């Protein structure tokens, strides 16, 4: 019998929201196991207090919503991500959705429930294609991952706010972070 073809590990950056908050702290990162049943961390833990709304990072269909090992879990198949489709998982969650529900990016799937010893104040967020675990942070486009400050530059020929003169032409300089 031939070996099954491994699923495509490419992950499109299609997420439009973090699952919790705007830019939650990553309490524990993704640590892929060396073997299918080996030790590792098959997702990321995002800081989130109990009761925090959990949102769909992208559009999809709820493939599971219920308890697993005493923790509430929601699993969402992401629309248009190939065969087998990408599937995000969220735990520990008190689900407000049911299997078969279609959700849009940003829709609330439930709320964070304290998970005891795994992570008492966080959401465990996972990503799979078939049975292969992938890094869920790879779903996030750079604009959601970038934590640097926005910096507005003057537009030549446009009056400065509160002034009558126009912004002067300044030589271009590379961006540097502000001093700490």
């Amino acid at each position: 019998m031939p070996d099954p073809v491994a699923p495509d590990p490419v992950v499109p950056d299609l997420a439009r929201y973090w699952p919790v908050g705007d830019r939650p702290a990553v309490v524990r990162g993704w640590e892929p196991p060396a073997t299918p049943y080996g030790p590792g961390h098959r997702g990321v833990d995002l800081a989130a207090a109990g009761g925090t709304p959990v949102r769909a990072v992208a559009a999809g269909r709820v493939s599971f919503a219920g308890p697993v090992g005493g923790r509430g879990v929601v699993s969402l198949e992401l629309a248009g991500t190939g065969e087998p489709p990408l599937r995000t998982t969220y735990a520990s969650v008190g689900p407000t959705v049911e299997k078969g529900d279609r959700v849009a990016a940003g829709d609330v799937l439930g709320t964070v429930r304290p998970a005891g010893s795994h992570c008492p104040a966080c959401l465990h967020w996972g990503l799979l294609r078939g049975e292969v675990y992938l890094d869920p942070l790879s779903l996030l486009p750079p604009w959601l991952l970038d934590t640097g400050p926005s910096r507005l530059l003057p537009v030549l020929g446009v009056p400065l706010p509160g002034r009558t003169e126009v912004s002067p032409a300044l030589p271009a300089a590379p961006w540097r972070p502000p001093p700490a």
Side-chain angles (χ1 to χ4, degrees), residues 21-133:
D22 291 327
R23 283 196 172 95
V26 176
V27 177
R28 183 174 176 194
W30 184 62
E31 300 164 15
T35 63
Y37 302 104
H41 192 240
R42 293 160 173 83
V44 295
D45 293 339
L46 303 174
T52 301
V54 176
R55 297 179 290 185
V57 297
R61 183 184 56 81
V62 176
S63 57
F64 179 83
V68 173
R71 298 189 314 165
V73 174
V74 173
S75 185
L76 181 66
E77 285 185 1
L78 303 182
T81 58
E83 285 298 323
L86 289 171
R87 189 173 71 235
T88 54
T89 59
Y90 309 83
S92 286
V93 176
T96 56
V97 293
E98 296 179 355
K99 182 178 179 177
D101 288 351
R102 296 214 176 265
V103 297
D107 283 356
V108 174
L109 304 172
T111 56
V112 173
R113 295 286 181 248
S117 63
H118 176 78
C119 66
C122 74
L123 173 78
H124 180 82
W125 179 35
L127 176 66
L128 298 101
R129 184 180 294 280
E131 299 303 313
V132 176
Y133 286 90

